[in-house]
Amino acid sequence: MRTPQRWRSITELARHLAIEQQWIPLRKAATLYRVTPETMHAWVREGYFTSTHIKHTLWVSREELENGLCRKPNQRRT
């Protein structure tokens, strides 16, 4: 597996991989949903998806994104 950057330690690489299993960057999430980053950001603000900031980047819950593909439009998470 080729990584986009060099890791200073195995611990840093493991932390990065653990984060990516639970979260996905907002821009990548927007691409997967075929919407603009602005639309995805609006959905986060409106409560459709949980988000967190990691290293100055907004990340969205991977699980909620996957579940969102199965729910009807305009239906908030429960």
Side-chain angles (χ1 to χ4, degrees):
M1 177 174 87
R2 195 167 170 202
T3 57
Q5 66 185 56
R6 289 200 163 266
W7 304 101
R8 285 185 262 169
S9 68
I10 294 295
T11 303
E12 281 187 26
L13 175 58
R15 185 178 302 126
H16 174 77
L17 293 174
I19 288 169
E20 287 211 343
Q21 285 181 350
Q22 296 177 11
W23 302 95
I24 186 167
L26 182 128
R27 289 190 176 278
K28 186 173 180 180
T31 300
L32 292 173
Y33 267 68
R34 296 183 180 177
V35 298
T36 65
E38 292 78 14
T39 297
M40 183 60 67
H41 196 268
W43 288 347
V44 167
R45 277 194 315 266
E46 292 170 11
Y48 291 101
F49 302 106
T50 302
S51 66
T52 189
H53 280 90
I54 302 171
K55 294 185 179 182
H56 308 292
T57 302
L58 188 62
W59 292 62
V60 182
S61 167
R62 182 179 295 274
E63 180 181 0
E64 289 181 8
L65 287 168
E66 291 171 358
N67 290 339
L69 293 172
C70 299
R71 68 179 177 244
K72 296 177 184 175
N74 298 323
Q75 182 181 2
R76 292 180 189 246
R77 62 185 166 89
T78 55

